[in-house]
Amino acid sequence: MSADEKDTLSVILEDGEQDLVEFLCKGRFDRARERKAEWRKMGKESDDKYSHDRIGLFAELAFAKQTDVYPSQVLSPKINTKVSGRDMGDTVYKGLRFDVKATIHDNGVLWIDKINQNIDYYVFFVVTNQTDRVVCKLRGLIKATVLHSKGARHRKQFKFPCIYAEQEELTPWWVFERSLEER
């Protein structure tokens, strides 16, 4: 086990949880397109227009499962945008607002394209959709003010500038939890 792997927490999503995500990702994507939300295609797009929403929802549900909080923002049919100021993140845990980010790439980065002042922390997962289960690896988190201070930069995989943090810059979940206990 590598040093990186020892700091990675894995959350397994079972069949019923996968079915719930499938239902929600279609609703989320379709509602956003009905409201004329931009569909930013990224990377090598598959024929599955729901894939990005699915991966994000897997991670959001995994975070709710790990923190043992009801995923009210994840399950909400309301669309609250950053521009409107009503996007409060994905989950509130121990009084802090978390925005969950995800990728399917083992070496991916946590990135945002818009600053959301309502967020306290960004959490990053690498999601692997296996035949019998979904494995969501919590690679770490970063304080929102730290990420926001980086400013937008170009990265070779992105067609646009974004604010991002490499996985090495993220705090492991257990370190974060220990810091909360010490408060």
Side-chain angles (χ1 to χ4, degrees):
M1 178 182 297
S2 71
D4 293 336
E5 284 295 311
K6 77 174 176 59
D7 287 337
T8 300
L9 182 137
S10 292
V11 180
I12 308 297
L13 298 180
E14 307 298 335
D15 289 342
E17 294 161 326
Q18 293 173 51
D19 293 341
L20 176 63
V21 164
E22 193 63 32
F23 173 77
L24 291 171
C25 78
K26 290 177 180 176
R28 182 182 280 189
F29 179 90
D30 293 343
R31 269 190 306 282
R33 300 302 80 72
E34 287 170 7
R35 288 178 167 77
K36 308 292 187 238
E38 179 184 1
W39 180 14
R40 184 180 283 169
K41 296 181 180 183
M42 299 183 57
K44 297 174 184 165
E45 291 293 323
S46 69
D47 292 334
D48 180 7
K49 64 184 179 182
Y50 302 114
S51 64
H52 294 295
D53 283 286
R54 183 181 300 111
I55 296 303
L57 275 162
F58 280 146
E60 291 167 14
L61 189 57
F63 186 68
K65 188 173 181 177
Q66 170 60 32
T67 56
D68 198 26
V69 297
Y70 185 78
S72 57
Q73 285 100 320
V74 175
L75 300 178
S76 174
K78 295 178 185 175
I79 296 175
N80 294 313
T81 64
K82 292 173 195 71
V83 173
S84 72
R86 294 187 314 253
D87 181 347
M88 297 298 170
D90 298 311
T91 302
V92 176
Y93 175 64
K94 295 188 178 182
L96 300 167
R97 295 190 185 280
F98 292 83
D99 196 0
V100 179
K101 301 299 180 184
T103 186
I104 59 171
H105 305 289
D106 279 331
N107 296 316
V109 298
L110 183 158
W111 67 272
I112 59 173
D113 59 349
K114 290 184 178 66
I115 291 176
N116 185 346
Q117 298 295 347
N118 298 323
I119 302 302
D120 296 305
Y121 285 90
Y122 292 93
V123 180
F124 186 62
F125 281 87
V126 174
V127 177
T128 306
N129 194 349
Q130 301 173 354
T131 55
D132 60 336
R133 62 191 180 151
V134 174
V135 178
C136 300
K137 293 183 178 180
L138 197 166
R139 294 292 173 93
L141 69 161
I142 189 168
K143 192 168 185 154
T145 54
V146 172
L147 183 64
H148 297 168
S149 71
K150 291 179 168 288
R153 305 174 280 165
H154 282 280
R155 186 172 163 87
K156 64 181 178 183
Q157 316 68 328
F158 299 131
K159 299 173 185 169
F160 49 88
C162 60
I163 302 168
Y164 65 90
E166 302 285 345
Q167 289 184 38
E168 299 78 35
E169 298 175 75
L170 304 178
T171 301
W173 181 252
W174 68 269
V175 172
F176 170 75
E177 282 280 68
R178 185 178 291 159
S179 72
L180 288 181
E181 292 169 5
E182 294 171 354
R183 291 195 326 188

